[in-house]
Every structure is written in structure tokens, then in C-alpha cells.
Amino acid sequence: MSETANMRVFRGDAESGDWQDYSVEVEEGQVVLDVIHRIQATQAPDLAVRWNCKAGKCGSCSAEINGEPRLMCMTRMNLFEPGEQITVAPMKTWPLIRDLVTDVSFNYEVARTIPAFKPRAPEADGTYRMMQEDIERGQEFRKCIECFLCQNVCHVIRDHPENKPEFAGPRFFVRLAELEMHPLDTEDRLELARKDAGVGYCNITKCCTEVCPEEIHITDNAIIPLKERVADRYFDPIRWLGSKLFGR
Amino acid sequence: MVEYERHDYDVIVIGAGGAGLRAAIEASAQGARTALICKSLLGKAHTVMAEGGIAAALGNVWPQDNWRVHFRDTMRGGKMLNNWRMAQLHAQEAPDRVNELEQWGALFDRTDDGRILQRDFGGHRYARLAHVGDRTGLELIRTLQQHAVHNGIDVFMECTVSRLLKDGDRVSGAVAYWRESGNLLVFNAKSTVLATGGTGKAFAVTSNSWEYTGDGHALAYWAGAELIDMECVQFHPTGMVWPPSVRGILVTEGVRGDGGTLRNSDGERFMFDYIPDFFAAETADSIEEADAWYEDKENNRRTPDLLPRDEVARAINSEVKAGRGSPHGGVFLDIASRRSTEYIRRRLPSMYHQFKQLADVDITAQPMEVGPTMHYIMGGIRVDADTAATTVAGLYAAGECAGGMHGANRLGGNSLSDLVVFGRRAGLGAAEDAAAQASAREADDAQVEEIVAEMRAPFERDGAEGPYDIQRDLQETMHNLVGIIRTESELIEARERIDAYKGRAANVGVYGHQQYNPGWHLAMDLQALLTVSEATARAANVRQESRGGHTRDDYPGPNDAEWGNKNVVIRQGADGEMEVTTSPLPEMPAELQELFEE
């Protein structure tokens, strides 16, 4: 089985760019990334695309396909009608480098600002005990493949790049929640979550959760509990009074 | 005079998978100014694809387990071709490295009493693999990455090293380019660690990502280092076979570890027909015993579904050839009829996801179709077991690009532990070496100019043949002629074809800009791919026996007297041609030899 797909791919760099149309042969079972690779091998050897595992495990090939943020390697071509025009664009939130490749360095900079995991002392034998049910939430968060689609789709920075210095984004709320709920961790990052990471900017529209290819419940399981913990400490009037009176 | 950025470091680490990250962490902890250089973004290296687990004799599930049992399993799995000292250090140190990952934030699955849970895997006598569902590699790389970013390591992402620099007999740094801009960098380094992974992209069907072009093997070889065991290539028995676009993607051995079995088109559990004499004493010979083994390891022997990977891959190959394959040319892997839906989804979530999304197969209801895929190269850069030093001064290697640890066949789960055990040792070795050097040597301009001219040459040949067809032809040749079953006439033909590809690659042309140009990047990667392909084809022709991941149709079975104690060694001769010789294996001390006399 082989059909022809009408692909419309963004080509260009930070200065300028435009859509380019390609007719490409598609085989049974192929994904969008296969088609992009075929364009590279047969029509445009300089078409820039970032990818690694091609199995939905590394989170490199994020793009906007027909306007929807997705991993190219996990988007089957049979999702589309035969003959339908399929647009592939780079993620909008990050500065464009070339074609489908964007500058995601913002995310690596934010990662550096989160204080490292700091475990309590181990048991006498030098190892730790943790119960499975106590780590399951953390394990959900650690499924994150850092595709940055949640960051890309979050309108706090997508529509307002000026917020970037004050807003860490959903991926890092997941990271903060993970550390916050880690049974062994002793570091306090709530002040960071409130102030520098700006968790208060999030107004729970769940766009991030919808695009997560790992199906992490970003809003319900990470952001809302984080907001609650921040609110408990900083905005609970009784606690506020207590801290004024007793200094804690 | 070419323009380039210049950087001076005590230690540079090339590659940021598990081994590279662990090496950089250690070098930095020793006080060395350390740079980590990687072709992709940080955290995307092929380590993320590792699924089943990390092998370490923690003894949490089976207290009878200890490093001696792990050592013995590793050596026997490697058909005794392993460097015994590496296998010993690996088995002894793996538990500490796993516990260290936990101290750095990793969340492994737990036993009922709250310790790290361990799972069964092929060739391991006891359930030994610490794991996180079936995404253990992601956990390992993320833990190391998150630990590393706070350790003052400078990371150069999407930066590819093209050549190592030499100062006399010593490696003194590297020439690299930014993938993003095409701009050049020169690193002056007191010592250099290679941690670049494997060579899978030389083969048509592979579980490996685009980065696996044999860079470290080739960089070391060009710098004068020796490679060993390059004929020993692991074809993982269970890759996806359908649809065509996902052919080769890994299906974790954990499926069989957790109770899945292999069946042919007649519904038979064919592995019982393929138990070799070497493993007969420890392998179940009836379905009843095999199934009972999962629960009671004391009174039952291991299921043949979990024989080492080389054995299982060959068995699948034979079944398909005999006409008992699945509709798309593999065999069936069935866990649906053996375990509950809830169990499968909890233990194997990413397998469930992968088959559902990419193949429309629900693994809780239907069998999977699987077949062999090029997965790992046991062969690699010859290193000293304790320090990870290569045969060239100033150069170290760890992880898949280093040779010796796994002998002729690697056991599942021993790769992730290899990365952290020898990544740490390489970082330590390189940092100590760097501390003994007065200063990093200034790069020699003439050397740099020559390397840069070669890198940019494809742009001068706009209009010539591009790199994609050459890579595809090479992959077909390696798959068809240097694949899972080999024979002399085909290996000779492969070498002739590789020579022809070298001619084509020397005239390869690319067009366009230098900025993120994948055609140009591949044109440069081809040099390494061709070097490692030639090394594998030549070594495979020299070893006239079948052992582990090297199977010769014309020399079936091992020949212990002639080949059992020899490494095949590859180095670049004075005339620039590849030389193939042999050298004796290091001799195992008597107290370790005793472990094999039961």
C-alpha cells in the first residue's frame, strides 16, 4: 500500500520563512516523522528536524501538526484523510533556529534554577525504604520526556513571551511537585514555586495536560497540589497570623 | 586561517548518555574543569531507550544473590570472551551505583518491604534488575542529568566532535562543530573521555537512534587506539516487525521476564527446541518447570524463553526460515494469555503505549509480532579495566563504545550498570591523569586546518551524490552480509562493497547552508560509519568460529582451542590501512576460575 501525502512544511530561519509544499509517498503504518525523513532523503536534504528515538521516548521531535502540538514520531499518517493537506510547523513559543528546529534553551536554564534533590539520611544499612504507594505520584511525574509541548502550549508564555523571566512553566511545576512529594527529599522549594517559578500565573486551563504525550495529569496532580501548598503557607490567614506572632 | 571558538578544559567528555554523564560527574567531583559534549540535547541520548532495568546483585528479592553469581552469569553469557577484571568490577560495584542513583533522586519500583524491587531477565540466575516499569533508561538519564546540572559541568549541546587532536603520542583535545550554526570549536584538553555509544546505524534494522554512528570507535581508531571484538554484535531477539516504519524498535526483554513467552505460527513454544548444551543444566526442559520457575527458583530451572539474547535471536531466525513465522516475518510474543490486563499495564506501560499507538495492537489482548534487531555492539575500544584508559595516552572510554566487558554477548540489564560503573571509573581515571599534566597543550593550527578542510569539503562538491543513498546502501549491505548469520564469501563481498562506499563517500556532496543541515551532518557521520562497518566485517571474517553474537554458517559452534582465549584486535596501520590481529585474553585468577567448576 502506498499513497501520496500533501505535506506543507515550514522552511526558514529566524529572519524569514515560508510554507513549502511537498508531495511524498507514504507507506502503511508510517508516522509524520517518516514522511519528513523521506522529504529529507529525496527532495530537501537540508530540511532541519530534531529527532532521536522515533519511539516516543526521548521527546525530541515536537512540532505543531495541523496546528496541534504533537510528537512527529507518534503521529500516524492514517490519522488524516487521504489527500488532506498536512501542515508541519515548528513549536511557536521558542525562537526559531531553522525549519522545524527551535531554540529550547529556556527550559535548560529554568532546570538549573531548581535546587537539587536533597535526601534525608539513609537507614543504618546505607539504603532507603520507601513504599510503592508513596512513590507512585512521583513516578507519574518522572515519566516526563521533556518534549516541552506543555511549555509550548501554555499561553502564559506562548502569547506573552515577556512572562518568561517570571514563569517556569508546566514542565517545571511537574518537577517541583515531584520533588515536593518525594518521600526522601528535605529541601523546601515552595518559596521558589510561588516567587521565581510563578505558579500563580497558571489559571488552570489544562492546555498542558491535553498535549502531554505521556498522559501525565499535569494540572490535576502537579499544578493544583502545588498551588494548594503555596496557598496554605502564604495565603492562609491563620498561618499568616501565627507566623507573625510566633515567627514561624 | 579558519575561525573557531577555543575552549580549554582539564577533562572533556564526548557523549552524554549514562556513561558520559556519570564520567563528567566524577571528573568534576574530582576537581577537574569538565566539559560534556553531546550531539543531541541533554537528556535525549540513546540511554533513554533502555527499558527493562539495571542489573545489580542487591539481593533484595533473592538474598542468595551476590556479586560472584552476577560475575559468573555475565562471563557465561559472554561465552567467556569477557575481560574478567571488567566483569568482576562491574558485578562488585553495580549495587553501589544503583544505591547512588537513589541518593540522587531516582524512584525505582519497590518490594513489599520498601526496598528496590528486582525483575527477572535473560541469563541472570536471580531476579536482579532494578527497574522503573519499563522506562528504566529514562529514569537513569534524568537522574544523572538533574544531578549533573548542579555540579558546575559546562555542557555543549548539539555539538558534534569530528576528530581528536594529537600532541605527539597523546590525545590533546578535539575539533567539533555546532550543529545549530555549523560554526567550529577547538577543545584543548588534558584528557578526553569517549562515551559515544554504539554503531547501530550501520545496519538497516536496528533499535538504535540516529546518533549511533560509531563516532567514539572511529575517533579512537583514527587517533591510533586499538579496537577489540568488533565482530561481536548483539541482535536483540525482540524488535517490532510491523508496521515497516517501526521495524527494529525495541520490545523489552522484561516482557519475557514478567511471564511472556515466544510462540511460532503453530502455537508452539519453540524455545524448548533450541536449548544449547552450554546452558542445558540450568534451563527448564518442560513447560511445567519453565512456568513454575517464575515463582520458585530453588526447585525449578529457568525458562528457555530467557536464554541469553544471542541464543533466542538465532532461534527466532531459524523458526522464520523454516516457515513457522508470523504474518510479517517474525514470531509471536504472548503475554496477553498469561498475565492479567492490570498486571501488564502496570509492569509494561510503555510497551502497551508503543504497540497501541504505532501498531494498533493491544498487548493485553493480542500477541505481539517480534523479530531480531541490531541492538548493541559488544566490541569496542580496548581499555584498561580499572582506569578505562585506552591504548593511546590521554584517551579514555566507557559504556558501549568500550570493549571487553560483555565478551561475545551482553546480558540484558548489564548495559545500564556498565554505564555507571565504568562511566565513574573513566571520569576518575581521566581526572587523575589530567591532574598530572602541567597544562593543556595549544592546538596545532596545521592539524586543525586539515581537519576543517575535510569537514567542509562536501560543500565544494555541490551536485555530487548526496549522503543518504550511501548510508542506505551501507545499511543494506551490513544487514544482509554481516548480519545475524555470516559466511566467508558474504563477508568478503561486504568488504568489497564497503570499499566502494568509501570511494563514493570521499566524493559526497551537500548543498545549502551550514546551519542545522542534516545532509552535511550525515556526510561527516558517514566517515565513522564506514570505519566501524569495515572493522566489523573484517573482524567477523577473521574469527572462524561461532561465539555469542558472532555466528558463522561456515564455522558452526565455538572452537575453544583455537579461538576461546583470543580477542580480535583492529588498529590503523602505518600505511593508513586497517590491520587485524589477535591477542590472548587476560588470564583469570584461580579463585575466580573456581566459580566455573561446578
Side-chain angles (χ1 to χ4, degrees):
Chain A
M1 188 204 84
S2 136
E3 284 176 3
T4 304
N6 296 317
M7 305 298 292
R8 172 164 284 192
V9 181
F10 186 84
R11 301 293 311 269
D13 57 22
E15 307 290 297
S16 65
D18 207 349
W19 299 100
Q20 184 97 38
D21 290 344
Y22 300 94
S23 277
V24 200
E25 226 173 275
V26 179
E27 286 162 26
E28 188 175 8
Q30 285 196 321
V31 294
V32 169
L33 186 60
D34 290 314
V35 176
I36 295 292
H37 281 157
R38 178 157 300 186
I39 295 174
Q40 249 181 6
T42 59
Q43 303 181 43
D46 61 344
L47 169 57
V49 58
R50 194 180 263 143
W51 70 288
N52 275 66
C53 76
K54 206 176 167 291
K57 294 189 169 70
C58 77
S60 299
C61 63
S62 304
E64 301 191 3
I65 302 167
N66 282 355
E68 224 181 292
R70 308 178 70 108
L71 296 177
M72 285 185 267
C73 72
M74 296 303 275
T75 306
R76 292 273 293 274
M77 288 298 289
N78 65 6
L79 205 72
F80 309 101
E81 295 297 320
E84 179 185 348
Q85 185 174 69
I86 301 164
T87 62
V88 186
M91 287 190 283
K92 181 187 169 225
T93 301
W94 318 117
L96 185 63
I97 293 173
R98 180 172 284 276
D99 303 338
L100 301 175
V101 177
T102 56
D103 175 3
V104 295
S105 56
F106 167 80
N107 300 290
Y108 289 91
E109 285 155 22
V110 175
R112 278 179 187 274
T113 66
I114 296 179
F117 172 71
K118 199 168 134 192
R120 63 168 159 77
E123 312 291 326
D125 67 358
T127 68
Y128 294 100
R129 302 289 178 278
M130 287 185 269
M131 291 296 133
Q132 184 65 36
E133 57 267 31
D134 295 330
I135 64 166
E136 261 161 16
R137 184 52 56 79
Q139 286 187 324
E140 180 197 358
F141 298 148
R142 289 181 71 81
K143 288 195 311 189
C144 172
I145 57 175
E146 299 205 322
C147 64
F148 307 127
L149 285 173
C150 59
Q151 303 281 87
N152 173 57
V153 82
C154 179
H155 53 90
V156 175
I157 46 178
R158 186 181 176 93
D159 301 331
H160 300 278
E162 69 278 11
N163 286 339
K164 277 183 189 166
E166 297 158 47
F167 186 70
R171 191 281 168 260
F172 297 99
F173 299 140
V174 167
R175 171 73 174 142
L176 284 166
E178 169 211 322
L179 288 163
E180 185 65 20
M181 298 178 200
H182 196 302
L184 305 181
D185 186 61
T186 59
E187 184 74 74
D188 182 354
R189 298 177 190 76
L190 277 187
E191 173 74 2
L192 177 91
R194 183 184 72 86
K195 228 169 128 233
D196 299 340
V199 71
Y201 275 98
C202 167
N203 53 5
I204 321 185
T205 50
K206 297 199 177 183
C207 309
C208 51
T209 304
E210 278 167 26
V211 300
C212 178
E214 286 295 312
E215 297 174 5
I216 299 170
H217 299 90
I218 301 174
T219 315
D220 290 349
N221 291 350
I223 297 180
I224 291 175
L226 204 56
K227 278 173 171 284
E228 284 171 351
R229 290 182 191 210
V230 167
D232 279 352
R233 176 175 310 167
Y234 296 102
F235 307 112
D236 181 328
I238 296 170
R239 280 192 81 154
W240 176 82
L241 189 65
S243 73
K244 285 288 160 200
L245 292 175
F246 306 111
R248 60 186 157 96
Chain B
M1 183 64 214
V2 293
E3 299 266 311
Y4 55 80
E5 286 176 34
R6 206 195 77 164
H7 299 276
D8 287 355
Y9 284 97
D10 296 331
V11 175
I12 59 172
V13 178
I14 304 169
L21 276 162
R22 189 62 189 83
I25 287 168
E26 193 63 27
S28 177
Q30 298 299 319
R33 278 199 68 230
T34 304
L36 182 59
I37 308 165
C38 50
K39 292 210 292 191
S40 286
L41 297 174
L42 191 61
K44 307 299 183 193
H46 198 58
T47 303
V48 300
M49 293 288 286
E51 293 163 355
I54 174 167
L58 297 161
N60 288 355
V61 176
W62 295 91
Q64 302 92 321
D65 201 11
N66 61 57
W67 76 260
R68 285 180 186 82
V69 188
H70 190 184
F71 167 75
R72 183 177 182 276
D73 289 348
T74 299
M75 292 292 302
R76 284 176 58 80
K79 299 286 156 52
M80 306 303 286
L81 198 64
N82 320 51
N83 176 312
W84 66 267
R85 176 65 178 158
M86 290 178 86
Q88 181 191 30
L89 289 170
H90 168 261
Q92 289 174 330
E93 294 178 5
D96 286 347
R97 298 284 79 76
V98 170
N99 286 324
E100 175 179 80
L101 288 167
E102 186 154 281
Q103 278 160 24
W104 294 349
L107 286 173
F108 292 105
D109 286 352
R110 315 311 291 183
T111 61
D112 287 341
D113 66 349
R115 294 186 298 165
I116 295 172
L117 181 61
Q118 299 180 273
R119 92 169 1 134
D120 282 313
F121 240 55
H124 293 281
R125 183 183 293 188
Y126 297 110
R128 187 177 282 148
L129 270 68
H131 60 277
V132 186
D134 54 2
R135 55 160 191 85
T136 315
L138 174 67
E139 187 71 12
L140 184 132
I141 204 161
R142 199 67 81 231
T143 302
L144 293 174
Q145 174 188 351
Q146 286 164 346
H147 188 76
V149 299
H150 294 291
N151 282 28
I153 299 160
D154 290 341
V155 184
F156 294 76
M157 289 197 261
E158 300 199 305
C159 180
T160 305
V161 171
S162 277
R163 285 288 190 285
L164 299 177
L165 290 164
K166 296 268 303 264
D167 180 12
D169 288 336
R170 190 178 172 86
V171 167
S172 59
V175 177
Y177 64 93
W178 289 110
R179 280 158 41 81
E180 184 183 319
S181 63
N183 294 340
L184 298 162
L185 307 85
V186 170
F187 291 92
N188 296 320
K190 292 179 186 169
S191 58
T192 299
V193 179
L194 295 170
T196 52
T199 67
K201 275 296 164 193
F203 290 81
V205 178
T206 177
S207 64
N208 293 176
S209 78
W210 72 268
E211 296 193 281
Y212 266 38
T213 49
D215 298 13
H217 294 81
L219 290 170
Y221 168 82
W222 295 328
E226 289 178 354
L227 310 177
I228 56 168
D229 306 336
M230 290 297 285
E231 70 281 15
C232 296
V233 170
Q234 178 168 84
F235 291 83
H236 193 292
T238 61
M240 293 176 80
V241 296
W242 190 91
S245 77
V246 298
R247 192 156 176 222
I249 291 180
L250 188 65
V251 179
T252 176
E253 193 166 317
V255 176
R256 284 170 286 141
D258 289 352
T261 59
L262 293 163
R263 295 176 193 273
N264 61 22
S265 57
D266 299 333
E268 288 164 353
R269 286 173 62 172
F270 58 85
M271 280 310 301
F272 289 97
D273 302 333
Y274 293 91
I275 302 169
D277 292 344
F278 191 74
F279 292 111
E282 60 206 68
T283 308
D285 55 11
S286 73
I287 288 179
E288 294 69 34
E289 185 180 359
D291 285 351
W293 168 83
Y294 282 99
E295 299 305 323
D296 176 4
K297 292 189 171 41
E298 290 306 288
N299 299 306
N300 298 286
R301 293 170 297 173
R302 182 164 60 225
T303 173
D305 284 296
L306 286 174
L307 279 164
R309 289 173 175 174
D310 52 334
E311 308 290 352
V312 182
R314 272 192 299 272
I316 293 174
N317 199 58
S318 300
E319 285 297 299
V320 174
K321 272 201 175 153
R324 293 188 291 271
S326 66
H328 300 101
V331 295
F332 295 107
L333 173 59
D334 166 39
I335 192 165
S337 75
R338 295 173 53 84
R339 295 289 183 266
S340 72
T341 298
E342 193 272 328
Y343 178 88
I344 297 168
R345 292 202 59 174
R346 178 166 51 81
R347 301 281 300 171
L348 303 162
S350 90
M351 286 302 102
Y352 174 80
H353 194 65
Q354 179 175 314
F355 272 89
K356 193 91 177 155
Q357 280 200 284
L358 295 176
D360 294 324
V361 168
D362 177 354
I363 68 167
T364 66
Q366 298 159 270
M368 296 160 250
E369 276 188 75
V370 294
T373 179
M374 194 296 192
H375 183 55
Y376 190 88
I377 184 160
M378 279 67 71
I381 304 158
R382 176 177 255 178
V383 290
D384 172 66
D386 289 77
T387 62
T390 69
T391 51
V392 173
L395 187 63
Y396 296 76
E400 189 173 348
C401 73
M405 161 66 209
H406 304 288
N409 174 57
R410 175 174 70 76
L411 294 185
N414 273 0
S415 182
L416 292 184
S417 41
D418 171 6
L419 303 184
V420 282
V421 167
F422 292 104
R424 174 182 158 276
R425 283 185 166 270
L428 200 58
E432 282 176 0
D433 186 350
Q437 307 299 318
S439 63
R441 304 290 172 82
E442 192 65 29
D444 168 27
D445 282 337
Q447 249 185 85
V448 174
E449 299 266 349
E450 194 183 327
I451 294 164
V452 170
E454 206 179 312
M455 290 163 69
R456 287 192 171 148
F459 282 111
E460 315 291 317
R461 295 189 290 258
D462 187 2
E465 184 185 19
Y468 293 95
D469 288 350
I470 305 173
Q471 187 192 27
R472 193 200 53 221
D473 291 350
L474 174 67
Q475 289 169 336
E476 290 301 325
T477 291
M478 292 300 286
H479 182 79
N480 293 326
L481 305 180
V482 197
I484 188 164
I485 310 288
R486 300 159 174 174
T487 196
E488 178 164 319
S489 58
E490 291 186 350
L491 292 168
I492 289 170
E493 193 190 331
R495 271 194 47 203
E496 285 165 2
R497 290 201 204 171
I498 291 167
D499 276 343
Y501 303 146
K502 279 158 71 178
R504 284 163 67 188
N507 290 301
V508 71
V510 299
Y511 75 84
H513 42 77
Q514 281 198 24
Q515 197 189 19
Y516 222 105
N517 184 335
W520 180 43
H521 301 166
L522 179 57
M524 290 185 281
D525 288 345
L526 268 182
Q527 303 299 333
L529 273 173
L530 287 161
T531 297
V532 295
S533 298
E534 183 182 350
T536 294
R538 281 186 187 252
N541 199 24
V542 166
R543 184 174 287 278
Q544 294 181 333
E545 65 160 352
S546 295
R547 183 176 297 273
H550 170 67
T551 305
R552 287 283 298 258
D553 221 12
D554 44 354
Y555 297 96
N559 180 347
D560 285 335
E562 191 67 31
W563 287 102
N565 58 356
K566 280 189 194 127
N567 291 117
V568 176
V569 181
I570 301 256
R571 73 172 77 87
Q572 193 165 32
D575 57 356
E577 282 293 296
M578 197 173 272
E579 281 179 8
V580 189
T581 57
T582 63
S583 72
L585 285 181
E587 203 178 328
M588 194 189 298
E591 72 267 22
L592 293 179
Q593 271 181 26
E594 280 169 17
L595 295 171
F596 300 91
E597 282 158 13
E598 58 181 64

